[in-house]
């Protein structure tokens, strides 16, 4: 028989998990929002990674920003935080794999992380941002029950 955990005393919160949820949510929301009206340019940026066929690049350029926005909003609002955290973890993991592959292959390309206008190149900074997002999202998934 399982026991119901006692609620946390009033005013006591799991601050690291709350900060991680907001950080991952804000990163994803902003990244997705900046790509919403740039599908053609974003598809070209995805194609530069040379990982997917052309039709997949186009589909991903349309679908991915909406997934990022929705996941970010769910995290910020605290709605289904573990499910949203799991999706965020998978997104940041995929971004990290793509960026790592580009760095390993020596590709000098834009990451497209926060839209095509940012013109940030794939490199160590990109990997650091992905790692920060991945850790934040994973903290949300593995946080203790409230």
């Amino acid at each position: 028989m399982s026991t119901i955990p006692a609620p946390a005393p009033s005013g006591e919160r799991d601050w690291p998990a709350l900060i991680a949820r907001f950080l991952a949510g804000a990163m994803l929301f902003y990244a997705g929002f900046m790509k919403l009206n740039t599908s053609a340019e974003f598809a070209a940026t995805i194609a530069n990674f040379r990982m997917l066929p052309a039709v997949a690049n186009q589909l991903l350029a349309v679908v991915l920003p909406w997934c990022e926005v929705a996941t970010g909003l769910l995290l910020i609002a605290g709605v289904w935080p573990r499910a949203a955290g799991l999706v965020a973890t998978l997104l940041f993991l995929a971004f990290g794999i793509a960026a790592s592959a580009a760095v390993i292959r020596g590709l000098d390309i834009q990451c497209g992380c926060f839209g095509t206008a940012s013109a940030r190149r794939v490199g160590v900074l990109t990997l650091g941002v992905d790692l920060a997002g991945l850790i934040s999202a994973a903290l949300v998934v593995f946080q203790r029950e409230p």
Side-chain angles (χ1 to χ4, degrees):
M1 182 169 172
S2 67
T3 60
I4 299 173
S10 180
E12 183 181 321
R13 294 188 179 268
D14 188 3
W15 287 107
L18 185 65
I19 291 168
R21 185 168 55 89
F22 279 112
L23 178 64
M27 288 172 70
L28 286 173
F29 176 80
Y30 180 73
F33 184 78
M34 295 305 291
K35 294 179 239 178
L36 284 178
N37 292 322
T38 61
S39 296
E41 295 89 355
F42 187 46
T45 301
I46 295 169
N48 289 336
F49 282 85
R50 297 185 230 158
M51 296 180 79
L52 302 171
V55 75
N57 295 331
Q58 295 168 355
L59 180 62
L60 194 59
V62 173
V63 173
L64 181 61
W66 288 105
C67 290
E68 290 173 320
V69 166
T71 303
L73 285 175
L74 288 172
L75 286 169
I76 291 167
V79 177
W80 302 321
R82 285 221 168 118
L86 180 59
V87 172
T89 300
L90 294 173
L91 286 170
F92 283 116
L93 186 60
F95 301 154
I97 289 169
S100 295
V103 168
I104 289 168
R105 292 184 291 155
L107 299 178
D108 183 23
I109 58 175
Q110 294 179 5
C111 73
C113 304
F114 296 103
T116 55
S118 72
R120 182 188 304 158
R121 311 307 273 179
V122 173
V124 175
L125 182 61
T126 307
L127 295 173
V129 170
D130 288 333
L131 183 60
L134 179 63
I135 291 169
S136 296
L139 283 173
V140 173
V141 174
F142 295 110
Q143 74 178 351
R144 65 185 169 113
E145 289 290 327

